Amino acid sequence: MNTQINRLPVPTWNRTGVNWLDQKALPPDREYLQGRHLPYDGILPHGITLMDHLPAEVADIKSGMGEWLDESIRNGADKTCYLLGNGIASEPVIITQNLDLTQPVIRTHFAIKANPGSNLTVVQINRGDAKDGVIENLTQIDAQTDSFVRLISIQLLGKNSQSFDAVGARIGKGAKIELIRAVFGGKTAACGSMAHLEGQGGGYQQDTAYFTDEDQIFDFNDIASHIGRETVSEMHTAGVLSGHSSKILRGTIDFKAGSAHSIGHENETVLLLSPSARNRTVPLILCGEEAVEGQHAATLGRFDEKQLYYLCSRGLSLMEAKRLLVEARFMPVLNKITQDDLRQEILTIIERRLDEHEISS
Amino acid sequence: MSHSLLEIKDLIVSVEDKIILNGINLTIGSGELHVLMGPNGTGKSTLVSAIMGDPRFQIESGQILLDGKDITEMKADERAKAGVFLSFQVPEEIPGVTLEDFLRTAKGSLEKRPPKILQFKKELKEQMKALDMDPSYAERYLNVGFSGGEKKKTEILQLLMLQPKLALLDETDSGLDVDAVRTVTKGIRAFKNRKNGLFIITHNARILEGLDVDVVHVLEGGKIAYTGGQELISKITQDGFGVLGKGVGLHEGL
Ligand SMILES: Nc1ncnc2c1ncn2[C@@H]1O[C@H](COP(=O)(O)OP(=O)(O)OP(=O)(O)O)[C@@H](O)[C@H]1O
Ligand SMILES: [Mg+2]
């Protein structure tokens, strides 16, 4: 088995440093206790129930982080949360996991099976911190015909911990999955998603926003695999890099034979606040089918002086103008977070990071 | 007698080490509407940018006073707080910030406290209606995907919402259809009062229909080459700048 994490589907030969997760961001080399697979015991809204056992066809859905990590979470999970959606869920399920001294390692196996026509939203909030803390999540989603699943993943860990967030999603006929990510914390943060667009007319939308500072290492491996006809994927990533941090984004759109008339778009914007921050992006579009449309776009840069002047001419101070432009990048993600306190918390983190950046620069 | 709202003394402005404005003197009294005309590339936008505080333009010497207060050294946001507003010739697009959020933030900065939300929303709705703007535009990202004319209208909307002392309008009528120009002029009429002032750059003067113009300035060769009354406008729009003769010479002859 390939033990690499976040491996580019087709490794490059000339820039080998980007092919998979850097050594420095691997999970700490230590003995893990065998997880106890404790099932979720929180309350669930109408329209969502817990499954005692995970159907094999859901357990087989590959994430974007690679088999090795998928299997290690599946086998070693401390907690499980297997959700079944039926009909329209009355409210989102919100699951908060907190790392601390008493619980420095959390491995959770999530699964979401959305029955035909069902509609549900799951919010995962990961926070807290511990020396050499690790949080590993695997979320496997099976969106059946005409269902809708929105997964919102918010990572607000402290800087002593590492996070691994693996998502695998199978999208059935006419079904739609949205993956919304906001990533701020952790010494290292690795996210890998794979959308398997199997059914005709299935849709996948991914919106990621992140903000790095200090020595943080962020690593993304996102794959939209178009299998069925007339499938659509939109993957958008917006980020701010500061300090000595570094980030790699591998974004792959893979049109398999048979995915005729499918459309895949990926785009990325990066705002560089510091010259010592390092940004790397590897877009990949694979075409095993002819009648498809695949597109990639990226912009990298500093603040736009003309935009800043325009905002200042309306009375905003330079700092307020910068803050507004940074917050603007997070809007596609923030707009989908309906919990006001969570939105506010994220806005406060953005503000604090900008303040720190202003002071240090 | 009206007191002077804007006073510009011997202003010299350069961009990238090139002198564009070479000794501008100009006074706008409160309650007055002044028009600035001049051939392309003579420095009209440069003048209003220098008044607004665009950091790309360097003020070499001279003074800009607003309400008797020297604003020459101030940054753009401080000038805005002092009461200057510029309707841009080319407004910026700001993805991720809705028109409404932007206006609320700007108003909060200018007034040093966030506006009362219901009152603000009501006012915004009314002003948009007065400008024939679709209310859904309040929720759209500022100027993103707006047509040229829609952007200009949005500038006037901002003028009406922010109520500055001095409004500088840089070719707000360019790119507007016949009806839109009338709507914008109506907006300007609603804005104008005895205390504030307007400085309007225009090539075709369509925006001035039905407005009382107090003074017309013509910019040429880095200087105000000619100053006169309303009658200058029709002269220029009909016969071109040539009718004024050699601008600078005329000015010196005055
Ligand atoms: N950022 C800049 N860098 C270099 N030159 C500039 C810059 N901005 C303006 N200029 C130059 O300054 C001069 C005056 O330009 P300005 O835009 O003020 O003219 P204008 O009178 O507004 O013209 P128009 O009627 O076409 O709008 C022009 O020669 C222009 O090329
Ligand atoms: Mg101009």
Side-chain angles (χ1 to χ4, degrees), chain B residues 15-16 18 20 39-46 57 89 171 203:
Chain B
V15 59
E16 290 173 0
K18 194 172 87 189
I20 308 286
N40 293 127
T42 45
K44 301 180 297 299
S45 294
T46 302
F57 294 91
Q89 186 170 3
E171 289 194 36
H203 282 299

Side-chain angles (χ1 to χ4, degrees), chain A residues 300-313:
Chain A
L300 165 73
R302 292 165 206 292
F303 282 112
D304 181 330
E305 294 298 330
K306 290 208 295 224
Q307 282 183 340
L308 286 176
Y309 164 56
Y310 185 76
L311 298 177
C312 290
S313 81

Side-chain angles (χ1 to χ4, degrees), chain A residues 81-130:
Chain A
C81 179
Y82 303 148
L83 302 172
L84 177 66
N86 226 337
I88 312 245
S90 57
E91 276 172 67
V93 187
I94 302 172
I95 299 166
T96 304
Q97 308 193 96
N98 212 348
L99 274 186
D100 59 28
L101 280 173
T102 64
Q103 207 176 202
V105 176
I106 301 176
R107 289 161 298 174
T108 307
H109 184 191
F110 293 91
I112 303 166
K113 181 173 172 189
N115 275 343
S118 62
N119 181 318
L120 72 159
T121 295
V122 176
V123 183
Q124 300 168 336
I125 305 168
N126 300 296
R127 56 167 86 244
D129 201 12

Side-chain angles (χ1 to χ4, degrees), chain A residues 267-335:
Chain A
N267 72 54
E268 187 192 15
T269 63
V270 181
L271 178 65
L272 269 184
L273 293 185
S274 141
S276 349
R278 183 154 190 221
N279 176 60
R280 282 172 290 175
T281 301
V282 196
L284 187 61
I285 298 181
L286 303 169
C287 280
E289 174 64 49
E290 286 190 0
V292 294
E293 177 197 317
Q295 238 177 57
H296 158 257
T299 53
L300 165 73
R302 292 165 206 292
F303 282 112
D304 181 330
E305 294 298 330
K306 290 208 295 224
Q307 282 183 340
L308 286 176
Y309 164 56
Y310 185 76
L311 298 177
C312 290
S313 81
R314 298 294 186 248
L316 280 73
S317 69
L318 191 59
M319 191 58 202
E320 286 172 325
K322 286 183 177 176
R323 184 167 297 166
L324 196 67
L325 289 177
V326 168
E327 283 172 6
R329 290 168 178 261
F330 289 86
M331 275 311 147
V333 169
L334 284 169
N335 282 341

